[in-house]
Amino acid sequence: MDSRRLYQLWKSLSDAHHPWNKFGCGNKDTLLKGNVEDGSESRQRVMDWWQNHYCASRMKVTVVGTESLKVLGDLAYQNFSKVPNRSLGPLPVTTSPPWSTSSGPDLWFVKTVKDTQRLEISFPIPDQDSLYEHKPSSYISHLIGHEGPGSIFNLLHEQGLATTLSCGLHSAGRGVSLMDIDITLTKLGLGQYEKVLSAIFHYITLLPSALEEPYHFEELRKMAQISFANAEKYAPDAYAKTISQSMNGIYKRDHLISRGVKSWTFNKAHIEDIIRCMTFDKARIFVAAKSFDSMNVQSNWEKEKWYGTEYTKQSLNRDILSILTPEDRALLYLPERNPLLPESLDVGSRSGIDPLKSPVNLHQRPLSTLWYKKDDQFWVPKGSITVQIHSPSTSGTHRQWVQTKVYSQLVMDGLTAKGYNATLAGLDYSVYSSLNGVFVTVSGYNDKLLAALDMVLEQVQALQVRNDRFDVVMEKMKRAYDNVYLKQSGEVSDTFLGDCTSERLYSPPFTRRELDYIDVESVRVHGGRLFERIHLTVLIHGNVTHDTAVSWCDRIERRFAAARAVPIPASACHSRRSLLLPSGCNFVYTAAVPNANEANCAVSYLCQVGDVADVRVRALVSLFSSMVSEPFFSMMRTKEQLGYNVSSSIWNETASGGVRFRIQSTRHPDFLESRIDFFIDWYLDVLKAMESAEFDEYRRGAVEKKRKKLVNLAEEQTRFWNYIENGYLDFERAENDAREIEKLTLSDIIGFVETYLHPSSPGRRKLSIRLVSQVGQCPGARTSSSISQGVPATLYSQEELVKLRSTMVLSVCATPLISGRPPPVAAF
């Protein structure tokens, strides 16, 4: 929301005659501007554009498929040969910057919708498109965006002034490049934004000295080349898009796939050209916050044309460069060599191996359970380690759960500087918590994977909770929960839906209030108890041998055993559960959209079907959802034009599988729900009239989707871990579902809709969330459904959430389902 508003303000405040000044989205007013009543003017403008710009010589086509090159070429010719070639030549290029840099630095204060503080700086720099074989902008953004010791961010982070910093190249149109620095400030940082600016401009003065140290560029080039050489597959449509974009750029023909990464060369002059542009006088600066009441900001606020964003321009203190103290300047220096860059990239022999479909259980000990799978189909020098730390102290109470979340955030905060080298070396890590425990994940090039894991686990176990960092993390978390409902109303209605059916009511408002009662000492005490009684569930996956996986798990065990961790039985580990709607219910929960300025209402409409562990339930829900998605979208959005945000999807929780419909609209949710009822009734008639050949095609598509091959190592790891964490261990679920879908008939789907979804069904289990906008009167209030209801609606107000939840029953825990077999234990 605020990002889009700020982006448009950058554009609107640029030169009025520059192409970048235009509205970035468009709306009804811009579409119909100058229109006569019948809309013919808009159509004529589209036709004029087609005549002037739609030209084959300005287009590039990429076709990706398993067919031969001849077949693919024939397909391209058949579908695109009729595109007219008007010989228009290359697209026009703009060479002037989007704003003048001759009048000194510009400083703008901007009001945001969410409670957030940001500092954005932008510098016009020479066009970078033709410099892709030298990447000077990547060199600069790497140094300024660094987060390790000596960096701008490390200084600001340690002093509690900022929580994120990024730097990167931005295009303002063909021929125009910008170097942007974006910082998320704390409230303390907002008040000291001049010090933040002083740190940035001082660091920029250090950049020329980096040119004398070749390793800065060499490390960048090495990792880029390793990443390209070991790139994994991704979605073919995204791949085709990437290649066509390269073709439309300035890349040489043999660089279209690599984008020249193999031929990167250091060019000192191009880097110096950028540095010369990043001066105080050439900067344009935005300071954005919800309120500036505590600062000396002028009150002559203006409003941006398109979004109404309030802003004001003020003069910038030219003494800003001298604000930084000598002590602070000493803390700013260029990064040292990265010791975590991968060296060994060997993946072993690929011959004669039949890929396994699931991980194997190497051991089940009192302290740990180890799952393992060697990469046997992607053959990349990467791996992952996932550790779930089960502890009764994680979420026994709401306060414990909040304390665990704070502790996890503090761990990640403490890893910011020391973990940045790992990130640059292609190693990702995370520490987070849920009701089920604390999770530690490390993934990337397996050569230094263990070193990264040791770094993270050391921080997890030996965290020193500093008062100053606690204050920063708490501010960040409180702000996040304050903003949690300041998003699209459709997303909020789904959040409410999850609150209604979750095992525990740890909703955002309750959690936000709980944060006010958490202090630094309570988190220290909680951290000391968190890992006293535990069980570890570990998945090691990728380019890792069996013996190595066992030794790594032993190493993890020894860490916690050395801290005198006591093993707990499996029965003491929290297992996921959910609330189940009773048979024959039609619950309606109505509340106001929390954001008082949000004009859209929303409805999320859930029908629970049965136990997600039942393969037939999963098959029915999957097939129906794949069939109904397009017609629901077409009717609700395209034909009835109820709103932009329209979707239907599977809604699975522990022991519960179902279908969820959602509409976000300026219409009242009473009306929206009546249209969902109408759609279900209409689609039932469509099913009854459907030809068997059409149904067979839908079924074939659903089966193909289930049997779609995993495209990379990360997808496989995610699938395995999901089934381990949810407790079902059903690693072959996709194939089991595909076989079950193949058995389904059209009569089965008709019966499914009549029994579980149709409003007239007396046994239907339905819950809808209706969120009503607080902005004006929404048309359609008190609209009644035209479809007869098998069960009268039971209405619940915003204050009756607990009462609504009390009508439901708690599900059973997940039971392992491995194709009817117990969990496999490897025999080695």
Side-chain angles (χ1 to χ4, degrees):
M1 180 186 295
D2 282 315
S3 294
R4 170 58 60 178
R5 290 160 63 91
L6 287 171
Y7 176 67
Q8 183 57 49
L9 184 59
W10 277 107
K11 293 166 66 66
S12 297
L13 292 177
S14 64
D15 186 340
H17 301 291
H18 197 281
W20 200 52
N21 180 265
K22 296 179 180 179
F23 187 23
C25 292
N27 59 17
K28 184 178 179 181
D29 291 337
T30 60
L31 180 64
L32 300 180
K33 182 179 180 181
N35 235 355
V36 293
E37 188 171 341
D38 63 0
S40 60
E41 173 64 23
S42 289
R43 182 181 183 280
Q44 186 58 50
R45 281 190 287 151
V46 172
M47 295 301 294
D48 290 344
W49 182 91
W50 179 85
Q51 183 68 41
N52 295 329
H53 300 286
Y54 195 80
C55 175
S57 65
R58 289 182 171 180
M59 299 180 184
K60 301 294 184 291
V61 175
T62 302
V63 181
V64 176
T66 57
E67 296 80 1
S68 68
L69 289 177
K70 183 181 184 308
V71 172
L72 294 176
D74 290 344
L75 284 172
Y77 180 81
Q78 293 167 14
N79 288 278
F80 299 102
S81 61
K82 294 182 180 180
V83 175
N85 188 353
R86 309 183 196 279
S87 301
L88 297 180
L91 289 163
V93 174
T94 302
T95 58
S96 61
W99 60 80
S100 172
T101 59
S102 61
S103 59
D106 291 332
L107 173 64
W108 307 83
F109 289 93
V110 186
K111 290 186 178 180
T112 61
V113 175
K114 292 185 177 182
D115 184 13
T116 184
Q117 298 85 228
R118 290 172 62 174
L119 174 65
E120 297 184 3
I121 312 171
S122 189
F123 304 91
I125 63 174
D127 181 32
Q128 298 293 297
D129 286 349
S130 63
L131 306 180
Y132 71 89
E133 291 183 88
H134 308 293
K135 288 290 186 179
S137 61
S138 295
Y139 182 89
I140 295 295
S141 60
H142 161 68
L143 294 174
I144 292 179
H146 207 280
E147 297 181 8
S151 66
I152 302 169
F153 180 71
N154 186 240
L155 172 68
L156 302 179
H157 178 265
E158 286 298 304
Q159 296 188 2
L161 303 179
T163 56
T164 68
L165 183 151
S166 63
C167 178
L169 182 67
H170 177 76
S171 174
R174 287 179 297 276
V176 182
S177 297
L178 304 172
M179 183 62 75
D180 294 342
I181 302 173
D182 191 349
I183 303 175
T184 303
L185 300 171
T186 62
K187 284 185 167 57
L188 178 63
L190 176 65
Q192 298 186 37
Y193 76 91
E194 290 183 335
K195 180 178 181 179
V196 175
L197 288 171
S198 184
I200 292 169
F201 284 105
H202 175 71
Y203 194 87
I204 290 174
T205 66
L206 303 180
L207 297 181
S209 62
L211 301 176
E212 308 306 319
E213 297 287 351
Y215 70 84
H216 296 297
F217 184 81
E218 289 168 358
E219 289 184 350
L220 270 181
R221 178 171 55 193
K222 178 179 180 177
M223 282 312 304
Q225 292 176 347
I226 288 175
S227 297
F228 177 75
N230 297 282
E232 297 185 71
K233 293 180 179 180
Y234 54 99
D237 57 337
Y239 182 63
K241 179 180 178 181
T242 299
I243 299 301
S244 62
Q245 288 174 336
S246 295
M247 294 169 67
N248 243 332
I250 41 69
Y251 297 99
K252 299 175 183 176
R253 185 177 181 84
D254 57 349
H255 290 168
L256 291 178
I257 295 177
S258 69
R259 297 197 171 186
V261 68
K262 293 183 177 180
S263 59
W264 276 15
T265 56
F266 180 74
N267 189 299
K268 182 178 180 180
H270 291 323
I271 296 172
E272 289 174 333
D273 286 343
I274 296 178
I275 295 175
R276 278 193 291 269
C277 294
M278 299 181 69
T279 64
F280 182 70
D281 288 330
K282 295 180 180 180
R284 173 165 281 198
I285 303 165
F286 278 11
V287 179
K290 189 170 186 177
S291 172
F292 296 96
D293 291 344
S294 60
M295 300 170 62
N296 184 26
V297 176
Q298 298 174 7
S299 59
N300 53 330
W301 295 93
E302 301 178 61
K303 286 192 175 182
E304 191 271 332
K305 177 180 179 180
W306 299 110
Y307 291 103
T309 305
E310 292 188 79
Y311 66 94
T312 184
K313 184 178 181 180
Q314 294 199 11
S315 59
L316 187 59
N317 178 12
R318 300 198 64 87
D319 295 331
I320 201 170
L321 299 178
S322 61
I323 291 178
L324 212 61
T325 66
E327 292 77 14
D328 286 336
R329 293 187 181 203
L331 296 173
L332 293 174
Y333 50 88
L334 296 169
E336 298 177 350
R337 293 181 184 272
N338 189 343
L340 293 178
L341 298 184
E343 301 297 336
S344 174
L345 299 170
D346 180 53
V347 295
S349 173
R350 309 185 186 196
S351 60
I353 296 178
D354 188 18
L356 297 176
K357 295 182 179 179
S358 64
V360 291
N361 187 202
L362 294 187
H363 70 236
Q364 291 177 314
R365 299 172 180 164
L367 189 56
S368 72
T369 299
L370 173 60
W371 293 90
Y372 164 73
K373 182 177 181 294
K374 173 78 169 68
D375 176 24
D376 52 13
Q377 57 180 319
F378 303 109
W379 302 104
V380 289
K382 299 177 182 180
S384 66
I385 308 170
T386 308
V387 182
Q388 180 178 7
I389 309 171
H390 302 269
S391 167
S393 300
T394 301
S395 58
T397 66
H398 193 183
R399 180 158 297 183
Q400 282 185 330
W401 182 72
V402 176
Q403 288 171 330
T404 304
K405 289 181 75 69
V406 173
Y407 188 89
S408 301
Q409 289 288 313
L410 285 165
V411 170
M412 286 297 291
D413 181 78
L415 287 168
T416 302
K418 64 179 70 173
Y420 193 68
N421 273 338
T423 303
L424 293 178
L427 293 164
D428 294 322
Y429 62 88
S430 67
V431 179
Y432 63 96
S433 62
S434 75
L435 293 177
N436 296 351
V438 176
F439 298 80
V440 175
T441 65
V442 178
S443 62
Y445 295 103
N446 56 276
D447 184 41
K448 302 293 175 66
L449 201 59
L450 184 60
L453 179 68
D454 284 341
M455 173 191 70
V456 175
L457 287 180
E458 181 180 355
Q459 186 73 8
V460 167
Q461 291 183 283
L463 175 68
Q464 299 297 314
V465 183
R466 290 166 40 188
N467 289 22
D468 58 338
R469 299 315 305 163
F470 174 82
D471 291 341
V472 171
V473 167
M474 288 296 286
E475 178 189 323
K476 183 178 177 181
M477 291 184 67
K478 289 177 180 179
R479 184 167 63 244
Y481 278 102
D482 287 337
N483 293 334
V484 74
Y485 288 144
L486 296 179
K487 52 188 176 183
Q488 294 190 56
S489 53
E491 296 178 64
V492 178
S493 63
D494 274 358
T495 300
F496 277 46
L497 185 60
D499 290 342
C500 289
T501 59
S502 62
E503 175 187 357
R504 300 179 186 176
L505 186 55
Y506 292 173
S507 65
F510 294 166
T511 301
R512 174 61 184 87
R513 285 197 290 272
E514 195 67 49
L515 284 170
D516 288 334
Y517 297 95
I518 304 297
D519 58 32
V520 65
E521 188 57 34
S522 69
V523 174
R524 289 189 182 120
V525 172
H526 180 71
R529 296 172 178 170
L530 192 54
F531 307 117
E532 288 180 340
R533 300 174 60 240
I534 62 170
H535 184 82
L536 306 169
T537 299
V538 182
L539 170 64
I540 298 179
H541 172 251
N543 188 38
V544 181
T545 66
H546 162 265
D547 291 343
T548 300
V550 172
S551 68
W552 285 3
C553 188
D554 290 345
R555 187 184 182 103
I556 296 169
E557 267 202 31
R558 288 195 297 270
R559 273 189 164 277
F560 286 94
R564 300 185 178 181
V566 177
I568 60 173
S571 59
C573 298
H574 180 269
S575 297
R576 288 181 176 179
R577 304 171 83 179
S578 64
L579 294 181
L580 305 179
L581 295 166
S583 178
C585 72
N586 182 6
F587 294 156
V588 177
Y589 176 77
T590 303
V593 174
N595 181 2
N597 297 315
E598 174 57 65
N600 285 294
C601 303
V603 60
S604 290
Y605 183 115
L606 171 67
C607 294
Q608 288 185 347
V609 175
D611 193 342
V612 74
D614 186 330
V615 66
R616 183 170 176 82
V617 168
R618 296 198 307 269
L620 285 165
V621 170
S622 294
L623 178 54
F624 174 79
S625 294
S626 66
M627 294 175 69
V628 81
S629 178
E630 189 281 329
F632 181 70
F633 183 89
S634 176
M635 176 177 283
M636 298 293 103
R637 177 178 168 178
T638 306
K639 295 178 181 177
E640 299 195 13
Q641 297 187 9
L642 295 181
Y644 182 79
N645 192 329
V646 174
S647 67
S648 61
S649 67
I650 297 170
W651 188 276
N652 283 344
E653 299 174 280
T654 302
S656 171
V659 178
R660 187 274 283 143
F661 300 94
R662 185 179 80 185
I663 303 176
Q664 176 180 303
S665 172
T666 54
R667 300 287 192 94
H668 196 281
D670 295 352
F671 176 78
L672 301 179
E673 181 159 336
S674 74
R675 299 314 298 160
I676 296 176
D677 283 347
F678 174 84
F679 172 82
I680 295 172
D681 181 67
W682 170 83
Y683 194 65
L684 180 59
D685 291 338
V686 170
L687 290 171
K688 290 177 178 178
M690 185 175 290
E691 297 290 338
S692 59
E694 183 181 1
F695 173 75
D696 290 345
E697 190 65 19
Y698 276 119
R699 182 174 57 193
R700 183 187 62 79
V703 169
E704 286 183 355
K705 187 175 182 180
K706 288 291 182 182
R707 287 180 172 152
K708 179 184 175 183
K709 288 185 177 181
L710 299 171
V711 299
N712 56 50
L713 196 66
E715 281 192 5
E716 186 177 64
Q717 189 276 342
T718 299
R719 174 179 287 185
F720 291 161
W721 183 253
N722 283 343
Y723 293 138
I724 292 171
E725 186 191 354
N726 68 25
Y728 287 112
L729 306 180
D730 194 4
F731 301 112
E732 298 181 30
R733 174 176 288 189
E735 177 58 31
N736 295 336
D737 290 356
R739 286 196 292 264
E740 190 68 25
I741 291 172
E742 288 177 325
K743 301 175 186 177
L744 296 179
T745 65
L746 181 56
S747 296
D748 292 331
I749 294 297
I750 292 172
F752 170 81
V753 175
E754 290 176 333
T755 303
Y756 298 107
L757 304 181
H758 198 274
S760 65
S761 171
R764 186 172 72 143
R765 295 188 290 152
K766 173 260 177 184
L767 165 65
S768 63
I769 306 298
R770 300 180 183 179
L771 295 188
V772 184
S773 171
Q774 301 181 54
V775 180
Q777 295 295 318
C778 304
R782 293 184 293 279
T783 299
S784 299
S785 177
S786 61
I787 311 302
S788 62
Q789 304 288 306
V791 179
T794 304
L795 306 180
Y796 294 90
S797 66
Q798 188 161 356
E799 296 75 26
E800 295 180 304
L801 178 57
V802 174
K803 179 180 178 182
L804 168 61
R805 287 169 52 86
S806 70
T807 65
M808 307 181 205
V809 296
L810 191 61
S811 75
V812 298
C813 297
T815 302
L817 300 167
I818 309 184
S819 304
R821 306 189 305 274
V825 178
F828 286 94

